[in-house]
Amino acid sequence: MPDRKRITLKDIAKELGISVSTASRALNSYAGISDETVKMVKEFAEKHNYVPNTMAVNFRKNKTMTIGMVVPELVHYFFSSVISGAIKEAKKHHYSILVSQTDELVKNEIMACRTMLSSSVDGLLISISNETGNTDHLQEFLDEGRPVVQFDKVSDQLSSPKVIVDDFQGAYSAVQHLIEQGYRKIAHINGLQHVKNSQERLRGYSIALGDHEMEGSSAWVVHCQEISEAEGFDFAKQLMTSSNQPDAIFCITDLVAMGAMKYLKQAKISIPKEVGVIGFSNWDMANFVSPGLSSVNQHAYQMGEKAVELLVEAIKNNEVGKDQIFETKTSLVVRESTQRLG
Amino acid sequence: MPDRKRITLKDIAKELGISVSTASRALNSYAGISDETVKMVKEFAEKHNYVPNTMAVNFRKNKTMTIGMVVPELVHYFFSSVISGAIKEAKKHHYSILVSQTDELVKNEIMACRTMLSSSVDGLLISISNETGNTDHLQEFLDEGRPVVQFDKVSDQLSSPKVIVDDFQGAYSAVQHLIEQGYRKIAHINGLQHVKNSQERLRGYSIALGDHEMEGSSAWVVHCQEISEAEGFDFAKQLMTSSNQPDAIFCITDLVAMGAMKYLKQAKISIPKEVGVIGFSNWDMANFVSPGLSSVNQHAYQMGEKAVELLVEAIKNNEVGKDQIFETKTSLVVRESTQRLG
DNA sequence: TTGAAAGCGATACCAT
DNA sequence: ATGGTATCGCTTTCAA
C-alpha cells in the first residue's frame, strides 16, 4: 500500500521547535501570533504539503460540513436540477452534499434519514415521498439541533423552513393562458388527492376558471395514481371520448402531458388547433416533442440554491430554522401545444 | 437550542459499573465477553437510545464510509442514472455517496477532487471532463492509498479500474441495424476527435461499414464540438444539402439526433422512410419524440453499480485496484426512426 | 473475561 | 506572543 503518510500538526511543531498550539493558531490566522511565526509555519506547511485531517477537525468541532439530501427520485429532470442548484450553493459555503433517494417509499426514506443522521450531516434537505405521513424520522434531526429544510414535497407536520413551488399561481397562469388562447372547455388531469402540490394545482385551475367565468364540469377533473405517461394517455382518451369533450387539457406534469399528446396524435386530434395541452415542470423533454409542449417552469435549480441558503443560515445560527414557507414563483413557457392564436 | 445530548460509551460504562472498553467490546460483539455482559450492555444501549458518534469512529478508524462521486453534469439522463445505480449499490455496502459536478471544466474538477480528498472520502468515482488531460489530481488519491474507479469518460493516464461502455460494439450494432434495414448511404455525426468514446464509436461505424462492404465517404463523417441539439440540426442540414446525400444518420448522442430529426422534419424529409436516424444513450426522451428514436442503450444504472462494486472491493482489500477495463455491453433499442422494413 | 490507559489530530482554555 | 494540557468519543493494545 502506497499509504504516503500525511504530516500532522505535531510534526510541524516538532520540526519548527514550537508548540502544537502555536502551529495551529498560526495556520488558522489567530490574533496574537507574530507575523514571523505565521509566515514560518505557513511556509513550512505549504512546502510539506500539510493538509489538516478533516476527520479530526470534524470530530473536535462536532461538524462535518456535510449536508444530507434526500429525494424521491434522482433520475428526474426536476430533482436532478434541484440537486444541481443545491450542490452549487453548498460549494459556495464550503459544504458538501450527500445524496440519497427513496423511490417514493417511506420505508426507504426512514432508512435514508437514519443513515444521514448517523453519518452526522450538519443539516438535512428533504423532499418527502408520496407515502410519507408521519415525520418522526425528521423530528429526530431537530431534536438533536440539526436543521431540516423541506422542499417541493413538504409536510406541515414538521416545523421547518419549506421551499415550495407556487403551485397555485403556476396552475392559475397555465389555465389563464389557455383561456386567452381561446380554449373554453378546459379539463385537468390532476394527481393524488392527498398530495399538497396536487391540491394547489387543482385549486389554481378551479379559481382561474371561476375568475373567467368559464364552464366547468366535474367530469373534466380526473386524478392520476402514478403520475405516469400511461395514465396521461388513458385519461386523455377517457376525456376525449366522453359525451362532453374538453378542448384543452391542463396536465399535472409534463410526463402526463406526454401521454395525453400521444393519445391525441394517435386519435388524429390536432394539437393545438382542436385541443390545447399544457404541462407542469418544464422538463427538457418538452422542447423536443412536436408540437413543443407548453409548460410551467418551476425553477428547480433556484429552489435548490434557496434551500441550501436557508439550511446553511440555520446551521450558522445554531438554530433549527423558523417554520416558514418560501414560495418560488413559476413562469409560463409557451410552446406550440397551446398556440392557437397568431 | 434543543441539543438533546446523546449518551456516550462512557455514560454506559459508568451507569453499568463496567469499563469503557468492555462496553465497547460488548456492543461490537467481540469475542471474549460474557454473554451476560453483552446482553446487559446491549439492552441498556437500546433503552437509552445509544448511537455511536460516527465522527469519533471515523476519526479513530480513519475511514468515513463515504464515497466521492464526480460527474461532468448532474442534470443528464445518463449521469443521473449512473449515480442512481451507484447510490443503490453503495447502500448495500453501507457507504454513502458525496456528489459533485464539474460542468465539464477541468478547473472545477480539480477543485471537486480536492474537496473530496479533504473530506476524506474512502474512495473516488469519477467521469472526467472533456477538458481533462493531466490526471495529477486523481493520482493524489492513489498516493494516499485511496482507490479511484473511473467510469464512462476515462483517462488511460491513471492506473485504475475503469468501467466503460463498449462504444465500439454499440456503434457497430447501430450501423449494422441500419444496414439491415436497407439503408445504404450512412453518415455519422461524431463528437470531439480527442475523446475516446467518440473515437470508438467512429471506429465501430467504420468497421461496420467495411464489414458489410458499404459505401463510405469522408464527407459523411462530421464532428461536433458541443454535442448539442443545434449542431445536430446544422450537420443534418449540411449532410442533406450536400451533393452526395446520405440516407441514414448515426448520431453520437440522442441529443444530437434530436437536432437532426428536427431538421429532417422541418425539411419534410420523412423519417424513417427517406432517412433513418439512430442515436446513442437511449435517453428517456427517445421514447417521447415522434417518430420514436432508435438508440443504443448504455445501461447506465448497471455501470454505477459495477463501479461501486469495484471501488468497495478495492477499499476492503486496502489496495488501489488493478488497472483493468470493464466494458459493459450495450443493447440496441429499435423504435420508429429506423424501421424502414416491416 | 475484564480494566486501565494510550492514543487518533486538532482545538481551546489557562497559564506564563 | 507562546506553551502546556485537557478534551472530543472511541478503539485497541497490554496487563491482570
Side-chain angles (χ1 to χ4, degrees), chain A residues 1-4 6 51-56 58-59 62-64 66-67 74-77 79-85 87-88 91 95-103 108 111-112 115 117-120 122 140 142-146 229 255 258-259 262 265 283-285 287-290 301 317-320, chain B residues 1-6 51-56 58-59 62-64 66-67 74-77 80-85 87-88 91 95-103 108 111-112 115 117-120 122 140 142-146 229 255 258-259 262 265 283-285 287-290 301 317-320:
Chain A
M1 281 148 295
D3 233 323
R4 185 171 72 186
R6 289 191 188 176
V51 184
N53 180 321
T54 319
M55 286 185 270
N58 287 345
F59 173 46
N62 200 35
K63 290 250 168 217
T64 55
T66 299
I67 290 170
L74 189 64
V75 187
H76 194 297
Y77 186 69
F79 286 118
S80 59
S81 299
V82 178
I83 296 175
S84 181
I87 289 180
K88 185 217 167 177
K91 199 190 298 182
Y95 277 86
S96 298
I97 298 230
L98 218 49
V99 180
S100 195
Q101 64 182 331
T102 66
D103 296 323
N108 290 345
M111 271 274 292
T115 306
L117 199 59
S118 88
S119 36
S120 304
D122 290 345
E140 285 181 37
L142 304 188
D143 290 346
E144 290 200 9
R146 301 199 229 168
E229 195 203 1
L255 183 60
M258 295 289 157
K262 187 174 268 186
K265 279 191 249 180
W283 285 19
D284 47 356
M285 218 179 278
N287 260 317
F288 296 110
V289 291
S290 65
Y301 191 87
N317 297 338
N318 204 16
E319 61 183 27
V320 294
Chain B
M1 281 147 298
D3 232 321
R4 184 171 71 187
K5 266 235 165 342
R6 290 191 189 175
V51 184
N53 180 322
T54 319
M55 286 185 269
N58 286 346
F59 173 45
N62 201 36
K63 290 248 169 222
T64 55
T66 299
I67 290 171
L74 189 64
V75 187
H76 194 297
Y77 186 69
S80 59
S81 300
V82 178
I83 295 175
S84 181
I87 288 180
K88 185 218 168 177
K91 199 190 299 182
Y95 277 85
S96 298
I97 298 231
L98 218 48
V99 180
S100 194
Q101 63 182 332
T102 65
D103 297 322
N108 291 344
M111 272 274 293
T115 306
L117 198 60
S118 89
S119 38
S120 304
D122 291 344
E140 285 181 37
L142 303 188
D143 290 345
E144 290 200 9
R146 302 200 227 165
E229 195 202 2
L255 184 60
M258 296 289 158
K262 186 174 269 186
K265 279 192 249 180
W283 285 20
D284 47 357
M285 218 179 278
N287 260 318
F288 296 110
V289 291
S290 64
Y301 191 88
N317 297 337
N318 204 17
E319 61 182 26
V320 294

Side-chain angles (χ1 to χ4, degrees), chain B residues 63 72 84 87 96 107 111 133-134 141 150 158 164 175 178 217 222 231 242 266 269-270 309 324 337:
Chain B
K63 290 248 169 222
S84 181
I87 288 180
S96 298
K107 158 178 78 95
M111 272 274 293
N134 165 313
F141 282 82
Q150 301 185 71
L158 189 81
I164 59 175
V175 173
L178 289 172
S217 159
V222 292
E231 282 178 315
S242 71
Q266 185 180 303
I269 297 172
S270 137
E309 193 188 311
Q324 201 171 346
S337 69

Side-chain angles (χ1 to χ4, degrees), chain B residues 260-278:
Chain B
M261 294 218 292
K262 186 174 269 186
Y263 168 74
L264 294 172
K265 279 192 249 180
Q266 185 180 303
K268 307 267 188 238
I269 297 172
S270 137
I271 312 171
K273 218 188 265 175
E274 293 175 72
V275 172
V277 178
I278 191 164

Side-chain angles (χ1 to χ4, degrees), chain A residues 41 48 68-69 112 114 148 195 215 308 317 338:
Chain A
V41 174
H48 292 79
M69 188 157 187
R114 252 187 228 310
V148 173
V195 175
E215 184 183 355
V308 168
N317 297 338
T338 56

Side-chain angles (χ1 to χ4, degrees), chain B residues 178-194:
Chain B
L178 289 172
I179 295 171
E180 284 165 5
Q181 289 291 316
Y183 297 104
R184 288 291 168 266
K185 302 164 77 171
I186 303 172
H188 177 30
I189 305 183
N190 194 251
L192 290 167
Q193 307 210 34
H194 72 273

